[in-house]
Amino acid sequence: MNKKAIIVGASSGIGQEVARLLLADGWHIGVAARREEPLMALKATAPEHVEVMTIDVTKEDAGEQLLMLIERLGGMDLYFHASGIGKQNRTLTEDIELRTMETNAVGFTRMIGTAYRYFAERGNGHIAAISSIAGTKGLGPAPAYSATKALQATYLQALEQQARQRKLDIRITDIRPGFVDTALLNDDFPYPLMMKPEAVAQDIVQSIYRKRHVRIIDWRYRMLTKGWRLIPRWLWRRFRI
């Protein structure tokens, strides 16, 4: 196949599982995250097919580092963004809100924008990113998280429209999972309808191959979010979540 993909946020969870699946399908991949050790462990499984770089998406030079990783890999056909943080914040602790914004809003925009500009100059490419069903409505227990996920979904939609208007062959895939059993949900809260990262990763890879525009994982969450959208604002603010 000789296809090349960059996965940012590949040190654990969904990002790492997607990286493993792409490797098994014959892709050459570049993996990046803040923690280098798990990335090197992944590289050890297929040394000739994996390039590694430590990238913190909140740093101003993260976009430049992404371009360096692309050059090291010899190009990029797919950019997959799995980097993000999320935490319940019922007391609206300032540090939690700001760190979430820096990673999920500013860092997301920085990395997606870099990938988009690369593909625009090249003429084609595919951007896939994990947003969340949390962007469907404002969630009181996690204000910054739900707000940034709504931003991500809207940003991807805007880029999709822009690419079409500019006649750029850039495909956008917005992945919206529900609760996934990863380190992101480590606060001992009893989350319902929990999904395994391996199953979610398989769905993501198939969604990329099928060039889906938006993919809500799985059918239970598709039904849930459909119901959420029907709830009027006056009633939603009375919901206990």
Side-chain angles (χ1 to χ4, degrees):
M1 185 184 295
N2 293 323
K3 290 286 189 177
K4 300 179 177 67
I6 301 288
I7 302 98
V8 173
S11 60
S12 63
I14 298 172
Q16 186 174 94
E17 293 300 328
V18 168
R20 292 185 187 279
L21 290 174
L22 293 179
L23 269 178
D25 281 351
W27 288 67
H28 294 274
I29 65 172
V31 291
R34 288 181 301 173
R35 295 181 296 133
E36 184 179 44
E37 185 176 350
L39 301 179
M40 295 305 296
L42 182 61
K43 179 178 175 63
T45 65
E48 297 180 358
H49 298 279
V50 181
E51 296 292 339
V52 170
M53 181 167 288
T54 303
I55 297 179
D56 182 344
V57 302
T58 66
K59 303 299 184 183
E60 291 186 0
D61 65 348
E64 297 173 8
Q65 290 181 307
L66 173 58
L67 293 175
M68 291 172 58
L69 181 57
I70 294 170
E71 183 177 359
R72 187 183 299 176
L73 189 63
M76 178 176 70
D77 302 292
L78 167 68
Y79 175 76
F80 180 60
H81 191 90
S83 177
I85 61 174
K87 191 172 183 179
Q88 292 199 41
N89 192 15
R90 296 174 186 269
T91 59
L92 208 67
T93 302
E94 182 179 24
D95 180 58
I96 293 174
E97 296 297 278
L98 294 180
R99 283 191 291 111
T100 302
M101 289 291 182
E102 288 169 1
T103 302
N104 295 358
V106 178
F108 175 89
T109 304
R110 176 180 291 120
M111 304 308 287
I112 295 292
T114 300
Y116 183 90
R117 288 185 288 272
Y118 170 83
F119 287 139
E121 183 175 344
R122 169 180 153 163
N124 62 81
H126 192 160
I127 295 172
I130 297 177
S131 60
S132 172
I133 65 163
T136 308
K137 289 276 192 180
L139 302 178
Y145 183 72
S146 60
T148 54
K149 291 303 176 179
L151 176 148
Q152 291 177 359
T154 302
Y155 195 76
L156 293 171
Q157 184 181 52
L159 291 186
E160 191 172 41
Q161 184 187 71
Q162 183 187 116
R164 183 176 180 83
Q165 291 176 350
R166 292 174 62 185
K167 301 187 186 319
L168 298 172
D169 185 18
I170 301 176
R171 176 68 62 171
I172 306 289
T173 299
D174 179 1
I175 305 293
R176 302 178 188 177
F179 297 128
V180 185
D181 188 11
T182 66
L184 187 66
L185 303 182
N186 62 357
D187 53 7
D188 297 324
F189 184 82
Y191 292 96
L193 307 178
M194 192 78 82
M195 299 181 291
K196 293 296 183 183
E198 297 84 359
V200 172
Q202 289 177 357
D203 196 310
I204 289 172
V205 171
Q206 289 305 310
S207 297
I208 290 171
Y209 289 165
R210 294 172 184 172
K211 299 181 178 180
R212 293 183 180 273
H213 297 279
V214 177
R215 178 63 170 172
I216 300 173
I217 308 173
D218 60 7
W219 68 269
R220 299 168 298 175
Y221 286 106
R222 288 193 286 275
M223 295 295 292
L224 179 65
T225 53
K226 185 176 182 179
W228 280 0
R229 293 189 185 98
L230 297 175
I231 299 173
R233 188 183 185 97
W234 67 266
L235 182 57
W236 180 258
R237 62 175 172 261
R238 290 171 169 79
F239 257 60
R240 294 182 62 87
I241 299 177

